[in-house]
Amino acid sequence: DDGGHSNDDDDDDDKNAKDEIQKWKLNLLHKDPPVFTVENFFTPRECERYKSLALEEEDRFAFGDGNEKKRDSAVKITSPTFAASSISKRTSTTWFCRYEMVPTLLAKVQRLLGG
């Protein structure tokens, strides 16, 4: 028994993944260090889902219930990004998500990198 999963389903998944990759457009923004963007990497729905991970976490802190960390929450890290000799001071905000929170991202990165 294949658990209700036929080879036709696998073929459809492969075709959908190939169609998706063909829609992606890789842009080089900077050579050293290499910085790329990938157009159409997320569907609009996926993009909203991942943005909501950070927004939900900010809302928890804004409304005063952010004293404890939930295992499935994103982690916000704010850090300075300036050299000691620099006059200007900037900060950078980075969001970390556990792997189990971002399965679509991980699957797409694997396809993008040919893995």
Side-chain angles (χ1 to χ4, degrees), residues 13-28:
D13 289 344
D14 289 344
K15 183 184 179 322
N16 290 339
K18 288 176 185 171
D19 289 346
E20 179 180 58
I21 290 170
Q22 290 176 350
K23 294 177 185 175
W24 292 344
K25 181 179 177 191
L26 188 65
N27 299 305
L28 176 65

Side-chain angles (χ1 to χ4, degrees), residues 6-71:
S6 70
N7 287 337
D8 290 339
D9 290 338
D10 290 337
D11 292 341
D12 288 344
D13 289 344
D14 289 344
K15 183 184 179 322
N16 290 339
K18 288 176 185 171
D19 289 346
E20 179 180 58
I21 290 170
Q22 290 176 350
K23 294 177 185 175
W24 292 344
K25 181 179 177 191
L26 188 65
N27 299 305
L28 176 65
L29 299 181
H30 196 268
K31 286 184 179 181
D32 190 22
V35 178
F36 298 91
T37 60
V38 182
E39 291 182 30
N40 303 311
F41 186 74
F42 284 132
T43 65
R45 184 177 182 178
E46 291 165 344
C47 190
E48 289 303 314
R49 160 79 174 99
Y50 284 110
K51 285 178 11 183
S52 74
L53 292 173
L55 294 174
E56 289 169 4
E57 186 64 11
E58 282 198 326
D59 286 347
R60 276 191 341 113
F61 282 94
F63 292 110
D65 60 349
N67 290 330
E68 76 279 349
K69 278 286 184 201
K70 296 186 333 184
R71 174 140 173 84

